Amino acid sequence: SSGINAEYGAGHNIGPIEESKEKSKESEKSSKHELALEELQKEFTSYKKEKREQLNLVQDQLDTARSECSAMLAEKTKLASKLEFSEEKHRFLENNNTNISAEKEQYKEKC
């Protein structure tokens, strides 16, 4: 026995039962690792799916916001044009009013 220990080193003189137990422990560890890996893969797949859904949701919100922004810019341009037209019309009417008032005063002076 001491020759075996010297030749193979400590721990190499295990019998078939101990060897079977060691393999069983290694197999159990391997099984646990495989289960842990499967669980991590499931979690990662779930994470990727949730991330994709969230990204799609954010993209949809961004698209909606862009559409609303475009519509508001178009409305702003339309309103700015109407305002400019109204201001121009107001200046024209004020100018006409000033001219009519001046003509009225001239007619008063003649009469």
Side-chain angles (χ1 to χ4, degrees):
S1 174
S2 65
I4 292 175
N5 279 339
E7 188 177 334
Y8 293 107
H12 282 271
N13 59 347
I14 59 174
I17 295 173
E18 287 83 12
E19 192 174 318
S20 177
K21 286 181 184 177
E22 284 294 318
K23 285 183 181 180
S24 178
K25 285 181 185 177
E26 287 176 19
S27 176
E28 190 178 311
K29 282 183 184 179
S30 179
S31 244
K32 285 181 182 178
H33 290 168
E34 287 175 13
L35 288 174
L37 178 60
E38 283 180 32
E39 184 63 30
L40 281 173
Q41 287 173 331
K42 286 178 186 176
E43 287 178 21
F44 185 66
T45 300
S46 175
Y47 160 78
K48 287 193 311 185
K49 180 183 176 191
E50 185 177 330
K51 181 182 174 189
R52 186 173 42 254
E53 289 170 355
Q54 290 295 320
L55 186 59
N56 288 340
L57 178 64
V58 169
Q59 187 64 46
D60 289 346
Q61 290 173 343
L62 180 59
D63 291 344
T64 299
R66 283 181 177 154
S67 293
E68 289 174 358
C69 186
S70 287
M72 287 180 183
L73 284 173
E75 185 67 17
K76 177 187 169 209
T77 302
K78 180 178 159 185
L79 292 172
S81 178
K82 283 184 175 183
L83 177 62
E84 184 180 345
F85 176 77
S86 294
E87 287 173 340
E88 194 64 38
K89 186 175 180 181
H90 183 259
R91 281 191 290 276
F92 174 77
L93 293 173
E94 278 186 331
N95 193 22
N96 277 352
N97 188 36
T98 302
N99 289 339
I100 290 172
S101 292
E103 284 181 26
K104 180 180 166 186
E105 289 300 318
Q106 287 176 355
Y107 285 126
K108 278 186 182 178
E109 289 176 9
K110 288 184 181 178
C111 292

